[in-house]
Amino acid sequence: MDTHLYQEHIMDIKHLIITFIGLITLNPHSYATDNSVECSNDQSVQVGPFFSTTIITPIWKPFTQKVASITGCPLAIKSSPSFDIYLKHILNKESDIYTVPEHYMPSLISNGFTTLLRSKEPISGLIVSRIDLNGDKQAFNGSRFIIPSQYTRSYLEAQHWLKQHHLTDKVKMQFSVSLDTAAAAILNKTAETTVILSMIYDKLPETLKSKLYTYEIHRKFYIYIAIRKDSSVSLKNAAIKAKDKIGLTEWVTTDITEIRDTEPSRLFARQLKAFKEEHGFK
């Protein structure tokens, strides 16, 4: 496949993700805020660096517009260019609402957050490679494994798989800026292997999938929407009422009692402790 066709397929990934969530065209109804309501603080939802900016707005704008229509106060969308900045944003509690993977939640609860919503169904992932995942593992020697960050569930699952196959020290771990750019790296041959969410992979054209090898990750996880404990009751209630406006998946209400301490959550807790020490957080 020539470079031009690869670039077309890279763009296809972003278009397919947006098509999948059914939000290429934003909700045509505008939600005006009630100017008679006094909005004392800037409210925002921090969506992290999980997807690139072009994908984030179609996913979240209908939700923030609906919340604003209920509370009478605007709710801004904020994203982070990297996971380091995202973690600093969380630790500083710069926003009210955050999207996080399940294994973040025990640590967030210890840092002044509580649960608000979670994905109705657990999310599954695939290890995807241009190298035969069931073949001779020596083929991976010196190959490149790309993921968005060491602070992602993708990284933990990648490390788990590499350890199982005695490849931890034999591949070159690379980091991208988002899930979609990691997937694009496989197509433009700047990496050989990555982790992709199943719901995204399933929507890729068969012509692309036929060139890739996959391994299903058995440990599924939920996506959570966390909220600061000191956020207003009106914002919490509005976010729950507007949950059907969030793209990507279906959402249900949840509470802190369902949060469990797991191996991935303990690994993240150690990562976060080291991160706080490195960056001067108490």
Side-chain angles (χ1 to χ4, degrees):
M1 185 180 293
D2 61 30
T3 302
H4 176 69
L5 288 177
Y6 269 119
Q7 293 301 320
E8 288 183 351
H9 285 310
I10 291 168
M11 292 304 297
D12 283 345
I13 288 178
K14 294 184 177 182
H15 293 155
L16 282 162
I17 295 171
I18 297 175
T19 301
F20 170 60
I21 62 176
L23 291 169
I24 291 179
T25 303
L26 297 179
N27 192 321
H29 301 289
S30 61
Y31 298 101
T33 59
D34 181 358
N35 293 327
S36 65
V37 177
E38 183 179 351
C39 302
S40 57
N41 297 309
D42 292 333
Q43 297 180 148
S44 63
V45 53
Q46 167 59 246
V47 299
F50 302 104
F51 295 105
S52 56
T53 305
T54 54
I55 294 172
I56 286 170
T57 299
I59 293 175
W60 287 97
K61 192 170 183 179
F63 169 76
T64 58
Q65 289 177 325
K66 182 62 177 177
V67 170
S69 75
I70 296 171
T71 64
C73 298
L75 180 65
I77 303 170
K78 293 185 179 180
S79 62
S80 299
S82 72
F83 276 85
D84 278 20
I85 293 174
Y86 179 54
L87 291 182
K88 291 178 182 178
H89 202 289
I90 290 174
L91 293 171
N92 286 325
K93 299 184 180 68
E94 295 178 30
S95 288
D96 295 271
I97 298 172
Y98 289 81
T99 308
V100 297
E102 180 181 1
H103 70 290
Y104 275 35
M105 277 311 307
S107 292
L108 263 66
I109 289 169
S110 299
N111 283 275
F113 292 86
T114 189
T115 57
L116 183 66
L117 301 167
R118 70 162 169 80
S119 56
K120 184 177 181 180
E121 301 295 335
I123 305 300
S124 61
L126 297 168
I127 292 176
V128 178
S129 182
R130 293 191 289 109
I131 302 172
D132 187 352
L133 293 165
N134 296 313
D136 185 355
K137 295 301 185 289
Q138 290 187 358
F140 284 89
N141 290 354
S143 65
R144 299 159 295 183
F145 201 129
I146 189 165
I147 32 198
S149 167
Q150 63 181 314
Y151 302 115
T152 60
R153 185 62 178 260
S154 298
Y155 177 81
L156 299 183
E157 297 301 339
Q159 290 295 321
H160 182 72
W161 185 84
L162 291 170
K163 184 177 180 180
Q164 279 185 320
H165 296 284
H166 309 288
L167 292 171
T168 303
D169 299 323
K170 297 178 181 179
V171 303
K172 299 175 182 177
M173 193 64 71
Q174 297 179 345
F175 298 109
S176 65
V177 295
S178 64
L179 291 169
D180 48 298
T181 55
I186 304 302
L187 302 180
N188 64 23
K189 297 185 179 182
T190 57
E192 284 70 48
T193 311
T194 190
V195 177
I196 296 178
L197 297 180
S198 297
M199 59 187 176
I200 293 175
Y201 178 82
D202 290 344
K203 300 301 175 181
L204 294 178
E206 291 299 326
T207 52
L208 290 182
K209 292 192 284 189
S210 66
K211 302 176 185 299
L212 302 171
Y213 299 92
T214 62
Y215 168 81
E216 184 177 2
I217 297 169
H218 298 294
R219 299 192 298 184
K220 297 182 180 181
F221 65 96
Y222 290 98
I223 302 173
Y224 276 81
I225 294 178
I227 189 167
R228 279 173 31 191
K229 290 179 181 178
D230 61 353
S231 292
S232 68
V233 174
S234 62
L235 177 60
K236 294 176 184 178
N237 291 339
I240 291 171
K241 290 179 181 179
K243 69 181 188 300
D244 293 340
K245 297 294 182 180
I246 308 172
L248 196 60
T249 188
E250 291 185 70
W251 301 89
V252 295
T253 55
T254 183
D255 62 66
I256 200 170
T257 59
E258 73 172 39
I259 301 301
R260 299 289 181 267
D261 186 29
T262 62
E263 180 188 356
S265 70
R266 289 190 292 272
L267 288 170
F268 177 71
R270 292 197 290 271
Q271 288 181 318
L272 189 62
K273 180 181 178 182
F275 183 89
K276 290 168 73 173
E277 292 173 354
E278 179 183 356
H279 296 280
F281 287 92
K282 294 182 180 180

Coordinates of all heavy atoms in Angstrom, one line a residue, residues 16-23 47 50-51 55-56 58-60 99 119-121 123 179 197 199-200 203 223 243-251:
L16 N -14.4 6.9 10.9 CA -15.2 5.8 11.3 C -15.6 5.8 12.8 O -16.7 5.4 13.2 CB -14.4 4.5 11.1 CG -14.4 4.0 9.6 CD1 -13.2 3.1 9.4 CD2 -15.7 3.4 9.3
I17 N -14.7 6.4 13.6 CA -15.0 6.5 15.1 C -16.2 7.5 15.2 O -17.1 7.2 16.0 CB -13.8 7.0 15.9 CG1 -12.7 5.9 15.8 CG2 -14.2 7.3 17.3 CD1 -11.4 6.4 16.4
I18 N -16.1 8.6 14.5 CA -17.2 9.6 14.6 C -18.5 9.0 14.1 O -19.6 9.1 14.7 CB -16.8 10.9 13.9 CG1 -15.6 11.5 14.6 CG2 -18.0 11.8 13.9 CD1 -15.1 12.7 13.9
T19 N -18.4 8.2 13.0 CA -19.6 7.6 12.4 C -20.2 6.6 13.3 O -21.4 6.5 13.5 CB -19.2 6.9 11.1 OG1 -18.7 7.9 10.2 CG2 -20.5 6.3 10.4
F20 N -19.3 5.9 14.0 CA -19.8 4.8 14.9 C -20.6 5.4 16.1 O -21.6 4.8 16.5 CB -18.6 4.1 15.5 CG -18.9 3.1 16.6 CD1 -19.8 2.1 16.4 CD2 -18.3 3.3 17.8 CE1 -20.1 1.2 17.5 CE2 -18.6 2.5 18.9 CZ -19.5 1.4 18.7
I21 N -20.2 6.5 16.6 CA -20.9 7.0 17.7 C -22.2 7.8 17.3 O -22.9 8.3 18.1 CB -20.0 8.0 18.6 CG1 -19.5 9.2 17.8 CG2 -18.9 7.2 19.2 CD1 -18.7 10.2 18.6
G22 N -22.3 7.9 16.0 CA -23.6 8.5 15.5 C -23.7 10.0 15.7 O -24.8 10.5 15.8
L23 N -22.5 10.6 15.7 CA -22.5 12.1 16.0 C -21.8 12.9 15.0 O -21.2 13.9 15.4 CB -21.9 12.3 17.4 CG -22.8 11.7 18.6 CD1 -22.0 11.7 19.8 CD2 -24.0 12.5 18.7
V47 N -12.1 15.6 29.5 CA -12.3 14.4 28.8 C -11.0 13.7 28.5 O -11.0 12.6 27.9 CB -13.1 14.6 27.5 CG1 -14.5 15.2 27.8 CG2 -12.3 15.6 26.5
F50 N -7.7 10.8 25.5 CA -8.0 9.4 25.0 C -8.2 9.4 23.5 O -7.8 8.5 22.8 CB -9.2 8.8 25.7 CG -9.1 8.7 27.2 CD1 -9.7 9.6 28.0 CD2 -8.3 7.7 27.7 CE1 -9.6 9.5 29.4 CE2 -8.1 7.6 29.1 CZ -8.7 8.5 29.9
F51 N -8.8 10.5 23.0 CA -9.0 10.6 21.5 C -8.5 12.0 21.1 O -8.4 12.9 21.9 CB -10.5 10.5 21.1 CG -11.0 9.1 21.4 CD1 -11.9 8.9 22.4 CD2 -10.7 8.0 20.6 CE1 -12.4 7.6 22.7 CE2 -11.2 6.8 20.8 CZ -12.1 6.5 21.9
I55 N -12.2 14.4 17.4 CA -13.2 13.3 17.8 C -13.9 13.7 19.1 O -15.1 13.4 19.3 CB -12.5 12.0 17.9 CG1 -12.0 11.5 16.6 CG2 -13.4 10.9 18.5 CD1 -11.1 10.3 16.6
I56 N -13.2 14.4 20.0 CA -13.8 14.7 21.3 C -15.0 15.6 21.2 O -16.0 15.3 21.9 CB -12.7 15.5 22.1 CG1 -11.6 14.4 22.6 CG2 -13.3 16.1 23.4 CD1 -10.4 15.1 23.2
P58 N -17.5 16.1 18.9 CA -18.8 15.5 18.6 C -19.3 14.5 19.7 O -20.5 14.4 19.8 CB -18.5 14.7 17.3 CG -17.3 15.4 16.7 CD -16.5 15.9 17.9
I59 N -18.4 13.9 20.4 CA -18.8 13.0 21.5 C -19.5 13.8 22.7 O -20.5 13.4 23.2 CB -17.6 12.2 22.0 CG1 -17.1 11.2 21.0 CG2 -18.0 11.4 23.3 CD1 -15.8 10.5 21.4
W60 N -18.9 14.9 23.0 CA -19.2 15.6 24.3 C -20.1 16.8 24.2 O -20.8 17.2 25.2 CB -18.0 15.9 25.1 CG -17.3 14.7 25.7 CD1 -16.3 14.0 25.2 CD2 -17.7 14.0 26.9 NE1 -16.0 12.9 26.0 CE2 -16.9 12.9 27.0 CE3 -18.7 14.3 27.8 CZ2 -17.0 12.1 28.1 CZ3 -18.8 13.4 28.9 CH2 -18.0 12.3 29.0
T99 N -13.7 11.9 32.7 CA -13.8 10.6 32.2 C -12.6 9.8 32.5 O -11.5 10.2 32.2 CB -14.0 10.7 30.6 OG1 -15.0 11.6 30.3 CG2 -14.3 9.3 30.1
S119 N -20.1 3.2 32.0 CA -20.6 2.5 30.8 C -21.5 1.4 31.2 O -21.2 0.6 32.1 CB -19.4 2.1 29.9 OG -18.6 1.2 30.6
K120 N -22.6 1.2 30.5 CA -23.5 0.1 30.8 C -22.9 -1.2 30.6 O -23.1 -2.1 31.5 CB -24.7 0.2 29.8 CG -25.8 -0.8 30.1 CD -27.0 -0.6 29.2 CE -28.1 -1.6 29.6 NZ -29.3 -1.4 28.7
E121 N -22.1 -1.4 29.6 CA -21.4 -2.7 29.4 C -19.9 -2.5 29.5 O -19.3 -1.4 29.3 CB -21.7 -3.2 28.0 CG -23.2 -3.5 27.8 CD -23.7 -4.5 28.6 OE1 -23.0 -5.4 29.1 OE2 -25.0 -4.5 28.9
I123 N -15.9 -2.6 28.6 CA -15.3 -2.4 27.3 C -14.2 -3.5 27.1 O -13.5 -3.8 28.0 CB -14.6 -1.0 27.3 CG1 -15.6 0.1 27.6 CG2 -13.9 -0.7 26.0 CD1 -16.7 0.2 26.6
L179 N -5.6 7.2 21.5 CA -5.9 5.9 21.0 C -5.9 5.8 19.4 O -5.4 4.9 18.8 CB -7.2 5.4 21.5 CG -7.3 5.1 23.0 CD1 -8.7 4.9 23.5 CD2 -6.4 3.9 23.4
L197 N -9.5 -0.6 21.1 CA -10.9 -0.9 21.6 C -11.6 -1.8 20.6 O -11.7 -1.4 19.4 CB -11.7 0.3 22.0 CG -11.1 1.2 23.1 CD1 -12.0 2.4 23.4 CD2 -10.8 0.4 24.4
M199 N -14.8 -2.1 20.0 CA -15.9 -1.4 19.3 C -15.4 -0.5 18.2 O -16.1 -0.1 17.3 CB -16.7 -0.6 20.3 CG -15.9 0.4 21.1 SD -17.0 1.1 22.4 CE -15.9 2.2 23.2
I200 N -14.1 -0.1 18.3 CA -13.5 0.7 17.2 C -13.0 -0.2 16.1 O -13.2 0.0 14.9 CB -12.4 1.6 17.7 CG1 -12.9 2.7 18.6 CG2 -11.6 2.3 16.5 CD1 -11.9 3.5 19.3
K203 N -15.4 -1.7 13.5 CA -15.9 -0.8 12.5 C -14.9 -0.5 11.4 O -15.2 0.2 10.4 CB -16.4 0.5 13.1 CG -17.5 0.4 14.1 CD -18.7 -0.3 13.6 CE -19.8 -0.6 14.6 NZ -21.0 -1.2 14.1
I223 N -15.8 2.1 31.7 CA -15.4 3.5 31.7 C -16.3 4.3 32.7 O -17.5 4.0 32.8 CB -15.6 4.2 30.3 CG1 -14.9 3.4 29.2 CG2 -15.2 5.6 30.3 CD1 -15.1 3.9 27.8
K243 N -27.2 12.1 30.6 CA -26.3 11.0 30.2 C -26.5 10.4 28.9 O -25.6 9.9 28.2 CB -26.4 9.9 31.3 CG -27.6 9.1 31.4 CD -27.6 8.0 32.5 CE -28.7 7.1 32.5 NZ -30.0 7.7 32.6
D244 N -27.8 10.4 28.4 CA -28.0 9.8 27.1 C -27.5 10.7 25.9 O -27.5 10.2 24.8 CB -29.5 9.6 26.9 CG -30.1 8.6 27.8 OD1 -29.3 7.7 28.3 OD2 -31.3 8.6 28.1
K245 N -27.0 11.9 26.2 CA -26.4 12.7 25.2 C -24.9 12.5 25.0 O -24.3 13.0 24.1 CB -26.6 14.2 25.6 CG -28.1 14.6 25.6 CD -28.7 14.6 24.3 CE -30.1 15.1 24.3 NZ -30.8 15.0 23.0
I246 N -24.3 11.6 25.9 CA -22.9 11.3 25.7 C -22.7 10.2 24.7 O -23.4 9.2 24.8 CB -22.3 10.8 27.0 CG1 -22.6 11.8 28.2 CG2 -20.8 10.7 26.9 CD1 -22.2 11.3 29.5
G247 N -21.9 10.4 23.7 CA -21.7 9.4 22.7 C -20.8 8.3 23.1 O -20.5 8.1 24.3
L248 N -20.4 7.4 22.2 CA -19.5 6.3 22.3 C -20.1 5.1 22.9 O -19.9 4.0 22.4 CB -18.3 6.7 23.2 CG -17.1 5.8 23.1 CD1 -16.6 5.7 21.7 CD2 -16.0 6.3 24.0
T249 N -20.9 5.2 24.0 CA -21.6 4.0 24.6 C -22.8 4.4 25.4 O -23.0 5.6 25.6 CB -20.6 3.2 25.4 OG1 -21.1 2.0 25.8 CG2 -20.2 4.0 26.7
E250 N -23.5 3.4 25.9 CA -24.6 3.8 26.8 C -24.1 3.9 28.3 O -23.1 3.3 28.6 CB -25.7 2.6 26.8 CG -26.4 2.5 25.5 CD -27.5 1.5 25.6 OE1 -28.5 1.7 26.3 OE2 -27.4 0.4 25.0
W251 N -24.8 4.7 29.1 CA -24.3 5.0 30.4 C -25.4 4.8 31.4 O -26.6 4.9 31.1 CB -23.9 6.5 30.5 CG -22.8 6.9 29.6 CD1 -22.9 7.3 28.3 CD2 -21.4 6.8 29.8 NE1 -21.7 7.5 27.7 CE2 -20.7 7.1 28.6 CE3 -20.6 6.4 30.9 CZ2 -19.3 7.2 28.5 CZ3 -19.2 6.4 30.8 CH2 -18.6 6.8 29.6

